Amino acid sequence: FLGIWLAFDVLVPLIEDAEGDEDIEGEPDAQEDAWAPPEFPGQATDAEFAGEKPAYIENVLDEDVTYIASIGAPKMLLDTSDGLALYDLTLEPLEGELGEIHVTEAYGEHLLVATDSGLHVLFKKMVLLPSPINKLLEGANIVDLSTVPTEGAEDTLWLATDNALYQWEDGLLFEIGDGDLPTASSQLAYGALYEGQPVTWVASQGWLYALFVEDGQWTWSAVADDLPVSELKVDGEGRLWCISDGDVVVRHVDGSWEWLGFPEPIEHVLTGIEASDVWLQAGDSLYYYADGLFWTISGAQGLQPVAYEGPGRFLAGQDASVVRVYAEEPNNLVTTWEDDVA
């Protein structure tokens, strides 16, 4: 991991020299007339709901926040009115003015934090350090991050900026693309299955494609070519959840698709690689998916920002506090809409 912070001098030639670009072989070539996307639903169908459930809400901390990231319950990274802070039963401020947080991503025992001022490392989730990769990116705005577990080595890291896609692997940083591959402002996610194996998914400029290693070489395969995606998430079953113009497009593990419309445009998907359940947020409306069924959730207004924490729950800001929202009643005493508010 330390290389992400110390290998600056080694990496410079890879960015400045065109030979530093990594051409990933595509299969099939998206520019060939013979290529056609797989079958895709022609239009959205309305999501069907099994019923309504109450939100179970636990107050965690009285603090107004604009960003939350879970870094191993109960620990959180928070952006407060007084700046960044770590919460682990007590609130501890972090030094430094970083600007707005764009995205965070776990990297081994550390946390990567992309902000207005570039990439930072929350080293061992305790100390915040700037990354010299910022100098390589020459001020490019990082919009998304994704890690790929690598057995016996450091994780591979994908970095998406406003105009390019980069790969950090074995201490080297490469700009990805061969001219055919759209990479600007990519949304990234790892773990949804493609031909039976977990892969990295990239959504850019209406394209959705899979990145994976084949015969020792990174390669790519186009999956859809007319799917604008604003958010991309993977659940523990290997499904890929895409927000597209307020609808939800799901790619199941067998390669089949579902295109679902909801009463209100969906803004956020909350799930994780260890969870089979999924939360969908649409303004003050909240929907929950588990065991093949969708439910509407009552009593979950004013939740902003939001962050996935674990199966059956997520974190949110609400009324100048940080709260934990559950799908089922936990053992500890919490506030419910029906019993304590209505």
Side-chain angles (χ1 to χ4, degrees), residues 20-32:
D21 293 348
E22 182 173 4
D23 292 343
I24 295 183
E25 293 189 357
E27 183 182 4
D29 187 344
Q31 303 302 312
E32 291 181 2

Side-chain angles (χ1 to χ4, degrees), residues 17-288:
D17 190 330
E19 293 179 359
D21 293 348
E22 182 173 4
D23 292 343
I24 295 183
E25 293 189 357
E27 183 182 4
D29 187 344
Q31 303 302 312
E32 291 181 2
D33 293 338
W35 182 82
E39 288 187 12
F40 191 81
Q43 60 183 10
T45 59
D46 292 337
E48 297 183 0
F49 297 98
E52 184 176 276
K53 291 184 177 185
Y56 294 92
I57 300 177
E58 174 189 16
N59 190 76
V60 178
L61 173 69
D62 292 329
E63 187 73 35
D64 194 11
V65 298
T66 57
Y67 188 91
I68 304 173
S70 173
I71 49 179
K75 200 168 184 177
M76 294 177 275
L77 174 68
L78 303 173
D79 197 352
T80 74
S81 56
D82 295 323
L84 286 184
L86 286 177
Y87 176 79
D88 189 2
L89 302 182
T90 61
L91 193 65
E92 299 292 338
L94 289 169
E95 295 183 3
E97 295 289 335
L98 305 186
E100 182 182 351
I101 297 176
H102 301 166
V103 63
T104 58
E105 177 75 4
Y107 191 83
E109 61 181 330
H110 316 284
L111 186 76
L112 303 179
V113 184
T115 75
D116 286 342
S117 58
L119 184 66
H120 300 263
V121 181
L122 189 58
F123 186 71
K124 295 191 175 181
K125 300 176 182 175
M126 294 189 301
V127 180
L128 199 62
L129 303 168
S131 170
I133 282 181
N134 297 327
K135 296 181 181 178
L136 302 178
L137 298 178
E138 298 180 341
N141 181 47
I142 297 173
V143 296
D144 210 356
L145 299 165
S146 182
T147 54
V148 179
T150 305
E151 188 174 348
E154 291 182 357
D155 293 348
T156 296
L157 173 67
W158 297 94
L159 305 93
T161 70
D162 286 336
N163 52 22
L165 178 64
Y166 297 91
Q167 177 200 58
W168 169 275
E169 187 176 45
D170 296 331
L172 301 175
L173 185 68
F174 297 94
E175 182 175 352
I176 300 302
D178 59 3
D180 295 333
L181 201 62
T183 58
S185 299
S186 297
Q187 293 292 308
L188 307 172
Y190 170 78
L193 300 185
Y194 178 77
E195 296 187 350
Q197 65 171 321
V199 302
T200 297
W201 293 86
V202 182
S204 176
Q205 301 175 43
W207 286 83
L208 177 69
Y209 53 92
L211 291 171
F212 50 93
V213 175
E214 187 173 69
D215 297 327
Q217 181 177 343
W218 281 99
T219 187
W220 66 281
S221 182
V223 178
D225 68 343
D226 190 18
L227 183 66
V229 173
S230 58
E231 198 167 279
L232 199 60
K233 295 293 173 64
V234 174
D235 69 19
E237 301 296 318
R239 292 177 291 241
L240 184 68
W241 295 76
C242 313
I243 298 179
S244 181
D245 293 331
D247 292 337
V248 173
V249 177
V250 184
R251 189 177 190 273
H252 295 277
V253 295
D254 62 359
S256 62
W257 298 89
E258 236 182 325
W259 181 3
L260 299 169
F262 289 81
E264 296 181 52
I266 300 300
E267 298 171 359
H268 297 293
V269 179
L270 300 167
T271 189
I273 200 67
E274 73 276 21
S276 60
D277 60 328
V278 178
W279 301 85
L280 302 171
Q281 188 188 38
D284 278 340
S285 296
L286 187 64
Y287 308 107
Y288 182 65

